[in-house]
């Protein structure tokens, strides 16, 4: 046990002497240790396995990819790769790695290690293929082969041009893990992570806390903080109370009705950042009343999105018109107005479809990454739908239980489910969740079973084009199809937020929704 780990053990022992689950008090936490209030316990710390932004906020401090998003943007810049070149036909990417980088376990981060990471996800015969599942591996489905001609060179050959490739490499699924640690830990790697990042893993105490510490062998500038403790506090109001009471230095995903307390209070800073986010309802297009497009359109018209954004979310979100966030202005069509609140039109559509009085089962999450105020929003939507004659029964689940039920497909058990995604490219959300080839039985996230061959063709063309103007035109056509077919109810785009104490320096939210903490310090 290192000196720091002994000190940390003493700190945590002191906390454990209090009631189980009691927060760490500000006075007991050194100035070089940051306590972050998370919205849930992470599901996994294996970046090839994880799918949740809640987990990503930890992962990006433990691991690095070949490239990363430049601070404040979604543009990529070098990380583990110092530079790269792309062939004229867009099929070959050659990366030159940064020399002398090692994983936290002391093994080298070389070209063979990078090759291991992608082969593990993409080759079912790979020795580490059973350490998955790898639900976002199709981010890299365009890869034909990965080669390591020398220790500092990695060459990717693609099956076809793939415009989001560099952006996807910067996404957590592209973070590079230690092959030696994966082979040693197997499926347990997600509980004992080893990367190259500015922080390294210390311990994970169930649903109580997860601790990382400064990596003394980091190739870049060392992290300013000695350690970061992530505490899962799923109830947003409890998280806010702990922040006010001094138990947290940073709180993410602040409930809208708590923001004013921090705006007006001394000793806190409010951080807000618009990003590519969509909060929506997955509608079951295979089973039940929502198979009928008119019923799906009625649901969209019945929801008062403005009231949800202004009253429930208190201005921390804007109403959504379609599937692509306004952040991607180059890929959205300003002429698409979506579904204005119109209960009379909703009733007329239900009557036309013979669905008056239909009964719907609605999965609602207790919390979750980007889920805003899911119970209150779900209840408001239930009331909106009741007003047009739809009888909605809500079933509420804890976040990870909710994901397990929804990601496998709604089946015949549910007609609607809440969902939110933060994405890095306009390709990501429709390709992963609305494409015919992304049905749950094929390993994708198309939990409502929507299928439209015209949309499939547009999405495939868009991701193969290196011309951004052409891509934008294709996404605008795709957007119009999706809005017309209404496989989702489009509800809100969130302005992410966080609170820090006034003692926290260097903290910034990113449009990627990640949380990079190596430049953060405390007075």
């Amino acid at each position: 046990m290192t000196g720091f780990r002994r000190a940390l053990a003493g700190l945590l022992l002191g906390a454990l002497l209090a009631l189980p689950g009691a927060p760490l008090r500000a006075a007991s936490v050194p100035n070089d240790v940051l306590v972050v209030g998370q919205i849930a316990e992470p599901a996994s710390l294996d970046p090839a396995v994880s799918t949740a932004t809640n987990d990503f906020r930890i992962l990006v401090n433990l691991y690095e990819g070949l490239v990363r998003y430049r601070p404040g943007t979604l543009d990529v810049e070098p990380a583990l790769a110092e530079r790269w070149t792309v062939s004229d036909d867009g099929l070959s990417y050659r990366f030159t790695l940064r020399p002398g980088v090692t994983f936290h376990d002391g093994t080298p981060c070389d070209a063979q290690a990078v090759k291991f990471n992608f082969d593990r996800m993409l080759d079912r015969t790979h020795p580490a293929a059973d350490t998955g599942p790898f639900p976002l591996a199709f981010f890299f489905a365009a890869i034909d082969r990965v080669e390591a001609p020398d220790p500092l060179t990695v060459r990717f050959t693609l099956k076809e041009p793939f415009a989001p490739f560099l952006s996807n490499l910067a996404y957590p699924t592209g973070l590079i893990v230690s092959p030696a640690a994966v082979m040693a830990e197997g499926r347990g790697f997600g509980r004992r992570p080893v990367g190259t990042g500015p922080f390294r893993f210390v311990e994970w105490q169930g649903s109580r806390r997860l601790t990382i510490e400064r990596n003394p062998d980091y190739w870049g500038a060392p992290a300013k903080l000695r350690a970061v403790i992530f505490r899962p506090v799923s109830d947003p109001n409890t998280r806010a109370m702990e922040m006010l009471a001094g138990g947290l230095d940073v709180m993410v995903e602040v409930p809208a009705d708590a923001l004013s307390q921090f705006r007006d209070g001394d000793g806190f800073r409010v951080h807000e950042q618009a990003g590519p986010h969509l909060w929506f309802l997955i509608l079951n297009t295979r089973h039940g009343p929502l198979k009928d497009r008119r019923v799906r359109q009625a649901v969209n018209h019945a929801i008062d999105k403005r009231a949800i954004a202004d009253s429930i979310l208190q201005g921390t979100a804007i109403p959504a018109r379609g599937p692509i966030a306004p952040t991607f202005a180059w890929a959205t069509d300003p002429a698409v107005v979506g579904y204005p609140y119109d209960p009379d039109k909703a009733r007329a559509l239900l009557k036309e479809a013979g669905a008056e009085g239909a009964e719907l089962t609605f999965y609602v999450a207790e919390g979750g990454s980007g889920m805003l105020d899911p119970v209150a929003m779900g209840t408001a939507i239930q009331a909106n739908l009741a007003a047009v004659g739809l009888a909605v029964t809500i079933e509420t689940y804890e976040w990870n239980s909710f994901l397990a039920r929804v990601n496998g497909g709604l089946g015949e058990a549910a007609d609607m489910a809440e969902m939110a995604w933060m994405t890095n490219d306009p390709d990501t959300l429709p390709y992963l969740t609305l494409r015919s080839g992304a049905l749950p039985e094929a390993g994708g996230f198309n939990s409502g079973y929507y299928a439209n061959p015209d949309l499939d063709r547009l999405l495939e063309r868009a991701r193969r084009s290196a011309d951004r103007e052409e891509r934008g035109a294709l996404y605008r056509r795709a957007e119009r199809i999706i809005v017309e077919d209404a496989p989702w109810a489009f509800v809100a785009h969130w302005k992410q937020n966080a609170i820090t104490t006034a003692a926290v320096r260097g903290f910034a939210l990113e449009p990627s929704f990640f949380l990079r903490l190596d430049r953060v310090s405390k007075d």
Side-chain angles (χ1 to χ4, degrees):
M1 181 179 282
T2 66
F4 168 70
R5 291 177 193 223
R6 281 194 294 273
L8 179 67
L11 172 68
L12 297 182
L13 177 62
L16 290 172
L17 291 175
L19 292 173
L24 295 168
R25 310 305 302 172
S28 68
V29 179
N31 282 347
D32 54 2
V33 176
L34 191 77
V35 182
V36 179
Q38 286 270 76
I39 57 98
E41 183 182 18
S44 172
L45 294 181
D46 183 339
V49 171
S50 183
T51 62
T53 300
N54 183 62
D55 302 9
F56 296 167
R57 293 190 179 107
I58 304 172
L59 294 176
V60 295
N61 295 287
L62 293 169
Y63 302 95
E64 296 165 297
L66 294 173
V67 296
R68 64 191 173 199
Y69 298 120
R70 183 176 300 123
T73 77
L74 288 172
D75 299 330
V76 298
E77 67 174 13
L80 290 175
E82 287 186 319
R83 58 187 180 276
W84 62 90
T85 59
V86 185
S87 64
D88 290 341
D89 61 7
L91 293 176
S92 179
Y93 288 69
R94 184 185 181 91
F95 293 88
T96 300
L97 300 184
R98 195 177 298 278
V101 179
T102 58
F103 291 104
H104 302 151
D105 58 7
T107 57
C109 180
D110 56 16
Q112 286 294 341
V114 175
K115 175 176 166 57
F116 173 97
N117 274 259
F118 292 92
D119 288 351
R120 171 193 177 214
M121 284 190 284
L122 300 173
D123 180 0
R124 292 183 180 179
T125 67
H126 189 270
D130 64 351
T131 58
F134 309 117
L136 299 183
F138 47 85
F139 266 45
F140 302 112
I143 295 174
D144 179 54
R145 62 184 182 277
V146 185
E147 299 166 288
D150 65 60
L152 294 181
T153 303
V154 180
R155 185 166 57 231
F156 292 83
T157 301
L158 306 188
K159 302 169 188 172
E160 57 192 11
F162 179 46
F165 185 59
L166 283 174
S167 180
N168 284 358
L169 286 176
Y171 204 67
T173 314
L175 296 172
I176 304 300
V177 307
S178 161
V182 170
M183 295 308 294
E185 300 289 350
R187 283 180 174 260
F189 177 79
R191 301 284 300 193
R192 290 174 287 279
V194 178
T196 64
F199 291 94
R200 63 187 183 185
F201 176 75
V202 175
E203 65 175 355
W204 181 347
Q205 289 191 9
S207 60
R208 294 171 62 85
R209 57 181 62 88
L210 187 149
T211 306
I212 62 177
E213 65 178 350
R214 181 192 299 139
N215 172 14
D217 300 317
Y218 186 55
W219 59 266
K224 294 184 176 181
L225 292 163
R226 186 160 51 108
V228 181
I229 298 172
F230 295 92
R231 292 197 53 237
V233 186
S234 58
D235 179 76
N237 294 316
T238 302
R239 208 157 60 247
M241 290 298 294
E242 288 209 19
M243 190 75 200
L244 287 167
L248 303 173
D249 298 304
V250 178
M251 170 188 176
V252 296
E253 303 197 27
V254 186
D257 57 4
L259 265 182
S260 59
Q261 301 177 62
F262 296 101
R263 288 191 202 282
D264 301 336
D266 294 333
F268 298 102
R269 294 192 179 100
V270 176
H271 305 259
E272 294 178 286
Q273 163 73 248
H277 166 277
L278 175 66
W279 197 101
F280 58 101
L281 302 183
I282 301 168
L283 305 181
N284 194 332
T285 66
R286 180 182 287 177
H287 304 284
L290 297 172
K291 284 193 301 184
D292 190 316
R293 184 172 70 175
R294 294 167 295 185
V295 183
R296 301 195 299 270
Q297 292 173 330
V299 167
N300 270 279
H301 275 304
I303 297 172
D304 190 346
K305 296 177 276 292
R306 173 58 66 187
I308 289 174
D310 290 351
S311 298
I312 295 177
L313 302 177
Q314 299 183 45
T316 59
I318 60 172
R321 298 178 294 110
I324 299 178
T327 309
F328 302 119
W330 58 274
T332 61
D333 185 347
V336 172
V337 298
Y339 290 89
Y341 177 53
D342 191 340
D344 289 337
K345 191 163 187 176
R347 292 187 193 96
L349 284 163
L350 291 175
K351 183 176 182 180
E352 183 181 324
E356 296 163 297
E359 297 179 355
L360 303 174
T361 298
F362 181 16
Y363 283 171
V364 168
E366 291 179 352
S369 300
M371 292 298 287
L372 311 182
D373 199 348
V375 174
M377 295 170 75
T379 303
I381 290 170
Q382 180 188 41
N384 283 160
L385 298 185
V388 299
L390 293 172
V392 177
T393 300
I394 286 178
E395 294 184 14
T396 305
Y397 297 96
E398 178 274 334
W399 178 233
N400 287 320
S401 298
F402 176 85
L403 288 179
R405 288 175 179 272
V406 174
N407 286 347
L410 299 184
E412 297 185 46
D415 300 287
M416 314 188 302
E418 298 177 337
M419 188 49 68
W421 276 69
M422 293 89 109
T423 59
N424 60 323
D425 190 280
D427 168 79
T428 308
L429 186 55
Y431 196 81
L432 297 187
T433 60
L434 288 173
R435 183 174 45 96
S436 303
L439 294 171
E441 48 264 40
F445 292 93
N446 188 349
S447 301
Y449 315 105
Y450 176 65
N452 185 318
D454 291 335
L455 177 68
D456 293 345
R457 283 190 285 272
L458 287 171
L459 294 178
E460 293 292 349
R461 283 182 58 194
R463 60 177 18 212
R464 290 178 186 145
S465 173
D467 184 323
R468 184 155 150 162
E469 187 174 336
E470 180 185 42
R471 289 188 75 206
L474 292 166
Y475 287 126
R476 287 190 285 276
R477 290 172 60 187
E479 181 181 38
R480 290 192 283 270
I481 290 175
I482 296 167
V483 170
E484 178 65 20
D485 279 352
W488 298 338
F490 316 101
V491 179
H493 300 294
W494 176 45
K495 294 183 284 187
Q496 65 167 323
N497 61 43
I499 302 293
T500 61
T501 66
V504 175
R505 304 292 180 192
F507 181 91
L509 292 171
E510 295 290 337
S512 60
F513 294 96
F514 303 159
L515 204 62
R516 298 189 185 281
L517 298 173
D518 56 317
R519 298 296 88 202
V520 173
S521 62
K522 282 167 61 179
D523 289 341

